[in-house]
Amino acid sequence: MTLQVLVAEDSPTQAAALQHHLEAAGYGVTLARDGAAALELAQGASFDLVLSDIVMPGLDGFELCRRIKADPELQRLPVVLLTSLADPMEVVRALEVGADNFLRKPYDPDQLATRLRTILVQRDVRAAGRLQMGVEILLLGRRFSITSERQQILDLLVATFEDLVVTNRQLRVREDELAAAQIALEEQLRAVGVERERLQGVLAALPEAMVIVDGHGRVTGASEASEHLLGLPPEQMVGRPLHEVCRVVDRSGAPTASIAALRDDAARGEAIVVSSGFDTYVARPRVGPVPVVLHAAPVRRGAAGPADVVVMLREVGGLAYHDPVTRLPNHILFADRLTRAVEGSAARGWLTALLVVKLDRVELVAETMGQAAGDQLLAAVAARLVDLLAAPELTDLADIPSGGHLGAGALGVAMPGIRREVDAVRFGHQLAERLSGSYRVADVEVTCTASVGVAVTARREPVADLLRSARSAAAAAEGRGGPSVEVFDPSTRLRTATWLRAEADLRVAIQRGQLRLHYQPEVALATGTSVGAEALARWQDPERGLVGPADFIPLAEETGLIVEIGRWALVEACRQAARWRAALPGGREFMVSVNLSARQLEDPQLLAHVSQTLAETGLDARSLVLEITESVLARDLASATQVLGRLRALGVRIGLDDFGTGYSSLLYVRSLPVDLLKVDRAFVAGIGERAEDLAVIRATVQLAHALGLMVVAEGVETEAQRLELLDVGCDLAQGHLFSRALTPGDLERWWRGAGRRTSVRRATPPPRR
Ligand code: C2E
Ligand code: CA
Ligand code: CA
């Protein structure tokens, strides 16, 4: 018996081609010019399957399908939609109207025949009651039942995602490649915005700033997260012209054409507009220009009317730029704001002040009452600080000060555009008085004293210097006891006594050879084989025992001793690695990673030292990885890029450490000479707890691989984390699950023992003291 197919297709040539292929495959074919004709035919005669184009005049494919499925007589008739699948939203709509399957245009004739045969066989099997199974999926907040015969639709969704990944790769060679890859990701987001009410739910949940604009340039909706970037709650944006709620400017503060152009393009319904790069900022009255990456995409709804535009704004480096405890900008973002404050003020001939506030009780409370209590106190102080920053008496200053969390219980305030030092000192006194006082922490009154250090500059002074000055002034203020303010005196460059003593101790330690390197194994996730180790510095102090880097590296960074320590670490690690490559079983693959500080990158002798060290130790350049942290790039991207490029030309590989915590938008990683990304521990720790963290890792891996970069996860502590990381395709891992940092002797034993080849080593030795 010949099976009868009803074909709905408005294009005569397409219809003829379909008829030809279907008849060749042995089907009987009836053609309908549009949806209405097809419906009438279906109601009048018996067919085995309907094959329908989506876009047709009058009744389109979706509507035809919906009506068939709503008709009790016809609802068992399988409907297959033909789509170019240009838009993943079509899949969602098809699910809604109850379509049984998809065929992609342009289709392959063989595939067409096979697909139809499969559908018909499945239908028969199901009719015989043998195949009632299926899955329920939750998509865009709605439940869809996908029976086995509609499994293909899921396959297609997967295929769509695969297409996106392949596209990423292909675009690598082209200038706009990464921007396009991001759009691909945002396409997925765009697919989320199908209908208005659902959109509202999405807008509330969306962690990014997103504004929807109609064809006349008016805001019709905004994600709740936009408030953080644009400073207005979404309800206050709706109805206003886009350029009022979102002022896009360049570095000099001049409006850029992007927004106007965007609206015009949208009115013409033109393709996606992307404006990105490093010269796009959103002007914020109290915050100053915030660097953003901006994407815009017109959303077409049917043929009529001008298109809506979805505008996505992402603060550059916006993965983790706020301190979770105080909700203030973290030290990296704060340093960036301070840089911009200094530059802006200096250009106008004004002053910038940096105030560092130190709180005497935060650490004590954390030690005695627990970390949570310490955090609570810090958060309460930060909240008071934010109120003070919004105080009306400050509004007569040219620019509004902004706050930040500098770490270790210290808060910072940047005051750009001031005319006299005394304005900063006066505000410093206000801070010292108003932030000192009693706070309620875990039902206990805690009395806290705030000491404020002030440093003022008229020049384009490096923020690191400004921070050091204000910190040392704060330390001096703290030494005086009680709420007090100390102004840094640049003529004497005074440093506090304790600071000087610590520096002297560290110098002695270096001279007496008290520094050691410990090595933490790095493991290939797929095979469980260890591939090398990261060298981590330790200080073997005769009095204090083994001191970790957290207790001396920051000091070394501030005093510049890090350059010397770093040189020593490089030589030591290369020598050790060369030895291990020759001596350890399987050691020929051994790679050693050495941390490089920002100061070292600025050292003009760095390049010569690295090549000399490689020559002297006989280590193959390919087995050395130099790790730099993202914050290095925030300092001076251009010269960092140049130095890294030269290092790489030696054959050395470059790793980007603590990735995701600061500035490394994937957008510009592409243009950097790096070979691997080391995903920050914070994201790994969030696996299983915060869905976003795994999503960030997954996106990082996908795009890194598209760029030919390797991804290392650090701080892997649990088997569950290892499995997720393996699943998302992360290449290498290190962490306590495998091993802590070991002395060279212990590393050798570990390497030769079970550790090297079992993917999981449960019993990690305790840290050596
Ligand atoms: P880093 O480069 O991010 O090093 C990773 C840190 O994470 C190490 O701490 C390591 O012991 C720790 N870690 C590794 N696995 C785990 C885990 O599973 N769980 C947890 N909680 N921690 C884990 P460490 O040795 O205290 O080093 C701290 C930082 O000091 C390093 O961070 C690096 O920035 C700096 N540092 C260490 N040695 C040097 C050096 O020779 N030169 C420079 N410039 N910096 C160094
Ligand atoms: Ca590192
Ligand atoms: Ca790290």
Side-chain angles (χ1 to χ4, degrees):
M1 186 191 73
T2 310
L3 292 168
Q4 294 299 327
V5 179
L6 173 58
V7 173
E9 169 62 85
D10 58 326
S11 147
T13 36
Q14 296 269 355
L18 278 168
Q19 181 168 28
H20 170 77
H21 294 309
L22 288 170
E23 282 173 357
Y27 293 102
V29 176
T30 308
L31 295 180
R33 273 186 339 281
D34 56 33
L39 190 63
E40 210 179 303
L41 281 165
Q43 282 158 346
S46 163
F47 290 98
D48 296 286
L49 187 137
V50 176
L51 182 59
S52 172
D53 188 18
I54 288 182
V55 185
M56 290 185 294
L59 212 63
D60 69 6
F62 289 131
E63 187 54 25
L64 171 64
C65 178
R66 202 184 58 72
R67 294 209 190 167
I68 288 178
K69 294 298 169 183
D71 184 336
E73 298 279 303
L74 295 177
Q75 61 181 220
R76 297 195 20 97
L77 179 60
V79 178
V80 176
L81 295 176
L82 268 168
T83 168
S84 58
L85 211 68
D87 184 347
M89 276 193 282
E90 288 189 354
V91 178
V92 175
R93 278 205 67 192
L95 280 172
E96 286 179 324
V97 298
D100 295 83
N101 215 313
F102 262 122
L103 261 174
R104 281 172 81 169
K105 281 202 289 199
Y107 54 85
D108 172 83
D110 290 339
Q111 188 199 11
L112 169 74
T114 339
R115 181 69 56 84
L116 293 194
R117 203 169 304 125
T118 317
I119 293 163
L120 288 165
V121 167
Q122 279 172 339
R123 183 201 54 170
D124 293 345
V125 173
R126 198 172 73 150
R130 271 183 284 147
L131 196 72
Q132 292 299 347
M133 293 199 310
V135 287
E136 279 216 323
I137 62 161
L138 203 58
L139 191 58
L140 304 181
R142 286 180 54 175
R143 214 170 271 289
F144 296 100
S145 157
I146 307 247
T147 54
S148 308
E149 47 185 1
R150 291 165 81 196
Q151 176 68 34
Q152 305 276 12
I153 294 179
L154 274 186
D155 295 347
L156 266 169
L157 269 173
V158 171
T160 318
F161 278 80
E162 281 171 1
D163 284 352
L164 295 181
V165 172
V166 172
T167 311
N168 281 351
R169 295 222 173 91
Q170 291 167 342
L171 288 176
R172 181 164 188 215
V173 277
R174 291 209 302 256
E175 190 49 62
D176 58 356
E177 160 268 332
L178 198 65
Q182 288 211 339
I183 295 164
L185 282 178
E186 268 130 30
E187 281 284 350
Q188 298 168 17
L189 264 183
R190 212 157 68 79
V192 169
V194 189
E195 280 170 21
R196 184 104 4 212
E197 322 137 41
R198 270 191 253 160
L199 196 64
Q200 287 307 335
V202 174
L203 288 177
L206 204 69
E208 304 275 353
M210 181 169 115
V211 180
I212 303 169
V213 185
D214 67 16
H216 309 290
R218 289 197 178 267
V219 175
T220 56
S223 67
E224 284 174 16
S226 325
E227 179 170 356
H228 167 69
L229 186 65
L230 300 177
L232 276 178
E235 17 353 316
Q236 287 184 30
M237 298 187 205
V238 170
R240 294 171 62 177
L242 179 61
H243 62 86
E244 261 181 49
V245 305
C246 170
R247 288 212 305 120
V248 179
V249 296
D250 65 15
R251 193 178 283 273
S252 71
T256 64
S258 335
I259 290 288
L262 212 152
R263 196 192 40 231
D264 296 347
D265 287 348
R268 288 194 297 270
E270 261 171 34
I272 293 162
V273 185
V274 178
S275 130
S276 68
F278 297 100
D279 209 21
T280 307
Y281 298 81
V282 169
R284 276 285 307 279
R286 302 197 151 230
V287 181
V290 180
V292 293
V293 176
L294 187 148
H295 297 281
V299 183
R300 268 171 282 265
R301 285 181 302 161
D308 283 359
V309 181
V310 176
V311 181
M312 300 255 323
L313 295 144
R314 180 173 304 156
E315 185 164 351
V316 174
L319 290 181
Y321 47 83
H322 278 86
D323 167 51
V325 172
T326 60
R327 316 188 109 240
L328 288 173
N330 66 14
H331 66 288
I332 300 168
L333 180 60
F334 181 73
D336 179 66
R337 299 225 165 125
L338 186 59
T339 308
R340 276 188 267 134
V342 169
E343 280 176 3
S345 302
R348 289 178 294 176
W350 294 339
L351 306 174
T352 304
L354 167 64
L355 284 66
V356 168
V357 184
K358 291 211 65 172
L359 301 151
D360 62 343
R361 282 299 139 89
V362 173
E363 270 164 22
L364 189 67
V365 166
E367 272 166 30
T368 54
M369 298 168 62
Q371 189 58 46
D375 287 352
Q376 209 185 327
L377 174 58
L378 188 61
V381 178
R384 255 191 225 181
L385 175 70
V386 170
D387 285 346
L388 284 173
L389 290 178
E393 55 269 30
L394 287 175
T395 48
D396 49 289
L397 294 175
D399 294 301
I400 304 299
S402 63
H405 180 231
L406 304 176
L411 303 175
V413 174
M415 294 181 76
I418 58 170
R419 315 299 158 86
R420 300 165 307 169
E421 186 180 87
V422 65
D423 290 336
V425 178
R426 196 172 291 143
F427 187 52
H429 279 287
Q430 275 190 30
L431 288 181
E433 274 157 35
R434 310 264 278 268
L435 297 181
S436 298
S438 70
Y439 291 86
R440 215 170 166 74
V441 174
D443 281 337
V444 179
E445 289 286 325
V446 178
T447 308
C448 189
T449 304
S451 315
V452 178
V454 181
V456 177
T457 184
R459 300 179 293 116
R460 284 194 171 78
E461 191 169 329
V463 296
D465 294 351
L466 204 56
L467 274 163
R468 194 164 347 142
S469 306
R471 271 181 198 278
S472 80
E478 205 169 25
R480 289 221 299 266
S484 60
V485 177
E486 181 77 38
V487 181
F488 179 75
D489 179 352
S491 61
T492 55
R493 297 235 155 221
L494 275 178
R495 290 234 204 88
T496 63
T498 46
W499 185 257
L500 287 172
R501 200 171 329 115
E503 184 183 345
D505 285 353
L506 184 55
R507 274 185 206 284
V508 170
I510 298 170
Q511 279 157 17
R512 301 202 176 147
Q514 292 172 356
L515 295 188
R516 307 268 180 277
L517 285 182
H518 283 192
Y519 295 86
Q520 184 175 40
E522 293 184 324
V523 174
L525 273 167
T527 60
T529 318
S530 43
V531 294
E534 174 175 8
L536 293 160
R538 303 285 182 263
W539 174 0
Q540 186 67 56
D541 186 331
E543 282 160 29
R544 291 188 287 170
L546 197 65
V547 181
D551 292 326
F552 65 92
I553 294 281
L555 173 74
E557 299 258 11
E558 295 216 7
T559 54
L561 283 173
I562 192 69
V563 175
E564 200 175 327
I565 296 179
R567 285 170 153 256
W568 162 81
L570 182 71
V571 174
E572 183 59 29
C574 289
R575 190 180 296 146
Q576 184 61 266
R579 220 179 281 150
W580 279 336
R581 279 170 65 85
L584 288 179
R588 297 250 26 106
E589 311 139 33
F590 193 91
M591 257 179 5
V592 71
S593 304
V594 179
N595 292 286
L596 216 58
S597 104
R599 290 262 190 152
Q600 284 177 275
L601 221 59
E602 287 160 8
D603 175 9
Q605 281 153 22
L606 175 69
L607 210 70
H609 185 247
V610 171
S611 61
Q612 189 190 341
T613 303
L614 290 170
E616 281 174 12
T617 59
L619 185 71
D620 174 8
R622 293 292 303 158
S623 35
L624 175 62
V625 177
L626 293 176
E627 293 187 0
I628 53 149
T629 63
E630 295 186 308
S631 49
V632 168
L633 307 170
R635 291 164 77 126
D636 184 351
L637 185 64
S639 69
T641 306
Q642 203 174 45
V643 176
L644 296 179
R646 296 209 180 115
L647 284 170
R648 220 159 158 241
L650 295 177
V652 172
R653 280 187 274 182
I654 306 293
L656 205 50
D657 208 349
D658 305 341
F659 186 78
T661 55
Y663 275 79
S664 317
S665 146
L666 283 161
L667 188 73
Y668 77 90
V669 162
R670 174 186 60 111
S671 60
L672 286 174
V674 298
D675 303 274
L676 39 96
L677 303 181
K678 211 162 191 180
V679 175
D680 192 67
R681 210 158 69 218
F683 295 104
V684 175
I687 291 178
E689 283 167 27
R690 288 182 300 267
E692 318 87 84
D693 285 349
L694 189 61
V696 165
I697 299 176
R698 184 179 289 122
T700 304
V701 170
Q702 265 193 13
L703 292 170
H705 284 178
L707 296 176
L709 308 180
M710 290 228 280
V711 180
V712 190
E714 68 180 355
V716 182
E717 292 181 351
T718 68
E719 176 64 9
Q721 288 166 351
R722 182 184 73 88
L723 290 173
E724 289 286 12
L725 290 165
L726 183 64
D727 187 54
V728 301
C730 193
D731 307 283
L732 305 179
Q734 76 188 86
H736 294 170
L737 178 67
F738 309 104
S739 169
R740 292 171 186 269
L742 304 170
T743 61
D746 283 345
L747 184 114
E748 254 174 74
R749 276 184 282 282
W750 185 88
W751 186 280
R752 290 181 200 277
R756 191 169 117 73
R757 280 189 203 281
T758 48
S759 54
V760 182
R761 189 177 153 83
R762 280 166 215 287
T764 62
R768 288 177 64 92
R769 286 265 148 201

